[in-house]
Amino acid sequence: MRISARDLLGQLLDPDSFVSWDRPPVAVAATRRYHEDLRKAAVAAGTDESVLTGEGLLRGRSVAVIACEFGFLAGSVGVAAAERIVSAVERATASGLPLLASPTSGGTRMQEGTVAFVQMVKIAGAVATHKAAGHPYLVYLRDPTMGGVFASWGSLGHMTFAEPGALIGFLGPRVYKALYGKDFPEGVQTAENLYHSGVIDGVVSVPVFRRIAHRALSVLSGVPDPVAAEPGWAAPRHHDGGDLEGADLASRASEGSAWESVTISRRPGRPGLRDLLRHVTQRVPLSGTGQGESDRTIVHALARFRGRPCVVFGHDRSGQQGEHTMGPAALREARRSMALAQELRLPLVLVIDTVGAALSKEAEERGLAPEIARCIADLVTLDTPTISVLLGQGTGGGALALLPADRVLAATHGWLAPLPPEGASAIVYRDIDHAPELADAQRIRAADLCADGIVDRIVPELPDAADEPVDFARRMVAAIAAELTELRDRPLAELRAARHNRYRRLGLPGGDRSIRAESPEVNLGPTSEL
C-alpha cells in the first residue's frame, strides 16, 4: 500500500508539529475535461494538488518539507504543483532551513503539455540555489518516482534514500512497452538495484529515514558538540618537537626500518577506517557516485569526531583483496565527497590505506588516471578545511589522490610510495629482493615523511596498531578531532594560500623542512613506473 503525503509527514515529523505553507493552487488554463479531472483528484486524494509543503520539527529540529501525493493524478507535476514546490524551496532558503523532499510521481502532467515539462527546470534551479546557500537538501524517494521528477529535483539531494521496493526510473515501463513493443527488463528500476548501482545512498523505511535524517542534519549543521568529547583522551598537540608526541615520538618512529613499517602495515589484524568509525558519533553512511557507479573498496560517510562534524572518505582495507582495488568509480565517489564538503561548508577527512589503484582494462578505459588528476586538482583548490590521514599502506596514485590537505597525519607505520617496494625493486633491479633497501632509500616511512614536510604529525602505535586496535583507533580519532578544532575557525582564503604554498615549496631547500640526504647511497636507476 502506497504511503500518502499525510502519512509520510506523520511518520517523519514530531507529532502535531507540521505547519502548512500551502496557498490555493495558482489557476492554469484547462479544458472542461481537465477541470473535472482536477476536481475528482482532489476528492480522491483529499488534497488540493499533488504536493504538500510546510515546516515541522524532526526530533526537535526545524525543517522544511515537500511531500508528493500520488493519489492526486498519479503525483504528476504541472504549473500549480511546481509553483508550490518552488515557493517552498525559496522560503526554506530564505529561512535557512534544511529541506526534506519526498517525491512520488508518474512524472510531469500530460494534460498541461510542454509547459508542465519545463517546470522541472524551475524546480531544479530553486533547489540548486538552496544548496548553493549551504543548506542541506535530503531526498526520500517513494513508490513510484518516475520521469521528469526523478530526473530533476528527485536526483539533486545531498543524500538520497528510497522506500523499499519502490519503482524508480526515468522512462516508465508502460511507456517503454508502447514505444518498443516489449517489456522493460525486470529488476532494473527498483530502489534496491539503484542502491547497488551507486545511484542512491540506501533503501530504508520512513522511520529509519527519520533517524538517518536526524543524524545527518546534526552533522550538516556544522555546529561542534563540545559535550561529545570523550573524557580521558586529551587532544594531541602539533608535532613541533616540543612535546611528547613531537620529539619522543619522532625518535621512537625513527628506530624501525621502512620495510618493518611496510610489513606491519600489511598485518591482517591492523585497524582500518571502519574501525575508526566505530569510535565516532552520528555516523551516516553514503554510497556511490549518484551517477550509477559504486566501489566497495572505499567508505564514504558523514560523522562527528569527538563532536566535530565532517565528511569522511577513505580506503577500506577489508574491501581490497588481490587485484580488487580502488577503481575510477572510487575516485569519482571521492570527488562527490569533496563537492559535498565544500557545498555544505564542512571539513573533509580523507583516509589513505590502499595497496594501489586498480590495474585492469576496465580501469584504464573508464578513466582511472584522469580521475586521479582531478582528485588532486580538486583537493588543492577546495574551499573547505581538509585533513588527510596516512593510516596504513599508501601506494601509488590511489594514495596520492587523497593526500593534498591542510594537515596530514600518519600512523607510526603508515607509509607513502609511488609503488610498493617490491614494484620499485622490480624496476631498478629486475627482482623483488631489494624491496627493503628501496623502501629505506625512497624515504617512505612516516618518520621520513614527517622530516620531509609531507606529514605534519605522527600518531603513535604502541608499538603496533594491530596489537592495540581499540586504543589506537581512539587515539587517531582524538588526533583528527584536534585538527578539526584548529582548522575550523581559520579563514578559507588563508587555508587555500597556506595549502598552495605548502605544496609549491615541497622538496625545495630552504623551506620549513627540506629533504635531508641521509639515506644510504643507492643507485635508483630508471625512475619510470612502466
Side-chain angles (χ1 to χ4, degrees), residues 195-220:
Y195 165 62
H196 289 299
S197 299
V199 177
I200 63 176
D201 290 302
V203 180
V204 297
S205 64
V206 178
V208 174
F209 178 70
R210 170 179 158 87
R211 294 197 296 271
I212 289 173
H214 168 68
R215 291 202 303 267
L217 292 177
S218 174
V219 175
L220 298 179

Side-chain angles (χ1 to χ4, degrees), residues 149-475:
V149 171
F150 182 48
S152 58
W153 56 288
S155 292
L156 293 176
H158 289 118
M159 293 171 37
T160 304
F161 289 80
E163 176 188 0
L167 176 69
I168 302 171
F170 179 60
L171 185 63
R174 185 168 58 181
V175 176
Y176 180 89
K177 187 169 186 178
L179 292 175
Y180 303 111
K182 57 184 179 180
D183 293 331
F184 193 81
E186 290 187 11
V188 175
Q189 294 177 317
T190 66
E192 288 77 7
N193 184 55
L194 294 184
Y195 165 62
H196 289 299
S197 299
V199 177
I200 63 176
D201 290 302
V203 180
V204 297
S205 64
V206 178
V208 174
F209 178 70
R210 170 179 158 87
R211 294 197 296 271
I212 289 173
H214 168 68
R215 291 202 303 267
L217 292 177
S218 174
V219 175
L220 298 179
S221 71
V223 179
D225 179 8
V227 178
E230 185 176 336
W233 291 98
R237 287 172 289 170
H238 285 313
H239 182 180
D240 56 8
D243 57 17
L244 177 61
E245 193 179 332
D248 290 356
L249 178 56
S251 176
R252 277 183 285 165
S254 300
E255 293 174 359
S257 70
W259 184 247
E260 286 175 325
S261 286
V262 171
T263 303
I264 289 171
S265 73
R266 293 172 176 173
R267 284 188 62 183
R270 185 177 180 84
L273 175 54
R274 291 187 184 275
D275 298 285
L276 299 190
L277 292 179
R278 293 189 181 99
H279 300 279
V280 304
T281 56
Q282 295 178 317
R283 184 174 71 253
V284 179
L286 304 176
S287 178
T289 61
Q291 300 174 24
E293 291 182 288
S294 182
D295 192 313
R296 302 304 176 188
T297 67
I298 56 89
V299 174
H300 187 190
L302 307 176
R304 283 183 180 269
F305 284 70
R306 302 292 186 264
R308 279 31 178 195
C310 64
V311 177
V312 185
F313 180 90
H315 304 118
D316 178 14
R317 65 183 292 117
S318 64
Q320 302 176 67
Q321 298 177 356
E323 295 182 2
H324 181 60
T325 56
M326 67 178 300
L331 294 161
R332 284 188 269 273
E333 285 195 56
R335 294 181 66 213
R336 178 195 174 193
S337 76
M338 297 172 198
L340 187 66
Q342 179 165 295
E343 199 164 66
L344 290 166
R345 282 70 160 171
L346 286 176
L348 176 64
V349 174
L350 300 154
V351 176
I352 299 170
D353 195 0
T354 180
V355 297
L359 300 175
S360 67
K361 175 179 181 291
E362 293 77 12
E364 296 290 352
E365 292 175 345
R366 290 167 54 209
L368 177 66
E371 284 302 330
I372 292 173
R374 293 183 189 108
C375 280
I376 295 170
D378 286 353
L379 278 177
V380 169
T381 58
L382 202 65
D383 278 330
T384 199
T386 53
I387 298 170
S388 184
V389 180
L390 189 54
L391 193 60
Q393 300 184 80
T395 300
L400 189 65
L402 306 188
L403 179 72
D406 299 310
R407 296 290 293 175
V408 180
L409 311 185
T412 300
H413 297 297
W415 54 274
L416 180 70
L419 283 175
E422 296 92 335
S425 179
I427 289 176
V428 177
Y429 294 103
R430 303 296 190 265
D431 62 39
I432 64 172
D433 299 335
H434 293 78
E437 185 179 355
L438 262 296
D440 280 326
Q442 290 187 319
R443 301 178 60 78
I444 70 173
R445 62 182 183 157
D448 294 324
L449 297 172
C450 194
D452 292 341
I454 298 170
V455 164
D456 297 298
R457 178 193 297 176
I458 298 174
V459 178
E461 302 177 42
L462 305 172
D464 180 343
D467 295 325
E468 47 143 12
V470 172
D471 285 348
F472 170 76
R474 289 176 172 170
R475 197 179 303 126

